[in-house]
Amino acid sequence: MVQLCVNGVRAGADGAVVPLSPEAVADSVAEAVAAGASDVHVHPKTPCGRDTLSARVLAATLEAVRARVPASVPVGVTTGAWAEPDPAARVARIRSWTVLPDHASVNWHEPGAEETAAALIERGVGVEAGVWSGTDGAALFLRSPLGPKALRVLAEVTDTDPATARDSARALLSGLGPAHGRPVLLHGEDGGAWPVLRLAGRLGLATRIGLEDTLFLPDGGRAASNAALVVACLSEYASARRGGGR
């Protein structure tokens, strides 16, 4: 599985290529799915470009995306604490959603992660357990009674140094151990995005790519779109599976 991470916390300052409005997100997702992405993770944005859990904004974003991609492509959203810092308010937002995503990521090191995950499960939304390197997320997830109910684990390597990101990824995977038997999606960010993606290929793990994780192609050139990143991802991943890559 190659998940498309459409935009992340990036905003207009990161360039016009980063999609922010529901219409721009839908266009970008449609192109990336046509290029080979099989799952979608998006950050719905307010008109000023801020991440939000607003029912109105989330509905507009999901409806725009689903109108452009096959029904077989799952579409998920973030529940990151930066979008709603208060855990109780975050849960209330989830309970107010009128249009539901197929899945939503929950960063397990954030305050209120258990309550957030429980609210999603109650509504029938799949939980992607976000476990970041450099945090106590792995230990908290392994102790969680909700761990076995997660859809998958998003093993996120926050080490952006291309020289050390792979080692950080291996340490994160080791810390996760059996991960409650849940599938693991391994990915990096910025300078670590491509080295970690190649490692995911060598290990046969699901991965993701998109403008949330990197603005650049493997050769260092600026990515023109999410679709361009997906095309490069599939090539790099296949090469790594064959034992190639860097």
Side-chain angles (χ1 to χ4, degrees), residues 27-56:
D27 288 344
S28 187
V29 170
E31 293 172 358
V33 168
S38 53
D39 190 281
V40 177
H41 169 79
V42 62
H43 290 212
K45 307 275 188 182
T46 65
C48 63
R50 177 182 174 274
D51 285 10
T52 181
L53 305 185
S54 157
R56 179 182 57 81

